[in-house]
Amino acid sequence: MDDEIERFDQPLKVLLVGGSSVGKTCILRRFVEGEFPNKCKATLGLDFKIKSMKIGQQIVKMQLWDTSGQERFRSMTQAYYRGASGIMLVYDVTEENTLTTLPDWLGDITNYAPEDVEVVLLANKSDVGEQRVVSKEAGEEFAKEHGLKFFETSAVENINITEAFTAMAELLAKKAKLKETPDNVNVTAPNGKSSYEVSQQAEKKSGCGC
Ligand code: GTP
């Protein structure tokens, strides 16, 4: 049967973290809802959405947590690193300080997230043209130095958004595959679903007024 797939029902927790206004909420909404939000207020606290992706013969269900980049919520966010399988670390190519403070975020990840957490670095707002102050090379260099996968993204123009989440899902699928047991494999795919996206469901937890 060619549509027999492996499904990992337990959602894997993936956090979006990074400085305030780098575009975390817009990236998440672009990915989950397929559009750029007209209006977006700062995230107050945390909010999550669920999305499943088919990676090869595996379905990876991700619980995607949007966090606030505001300093006053930092300790709250730190509590959510616990149990995270993946972290999308985001900076803004129009704000140099969002790049220079990345080591602080990596410090939090080291201190509060599981040791084997997967981290993908996103340089957002790559659509801006002359407002750019951080070169692609600077981001690539930082990513290389820290062994991170790197994407320049634009939530506005939908550049590399799916690619970045696919890369994360692939990293998680690879790891889940290594840990798989006979109990969580061989679940048949829902009829008629052939694309990589097999289910989509959004849930609001708190805060974001978008
Ligand atoms: P906090 O909730 O404060 O942590 O912010 P955030 O990181 O979730 O940022 P948010 O998604 O709210 O976006 C902040 C601002 O950046 C908004 O005005 C967005 O319209 C804008 N923005 C987000 N993504 C992009 C992008 O890809 N390109 C451009 N040009 N602007 C963007």
Side-chain angles (χ1 to χ4, degrees), residues 20-26 36 42-43 69 124-125 127-128 154-156:
S20 191
S21 296
V22 296
K24 298 178 294 296
T25 302
C26 294
F36 186 79
T43 306
N124 194 39
K125 308 192 187 178
D127 56 277
V128 292
S154 167
V156 169

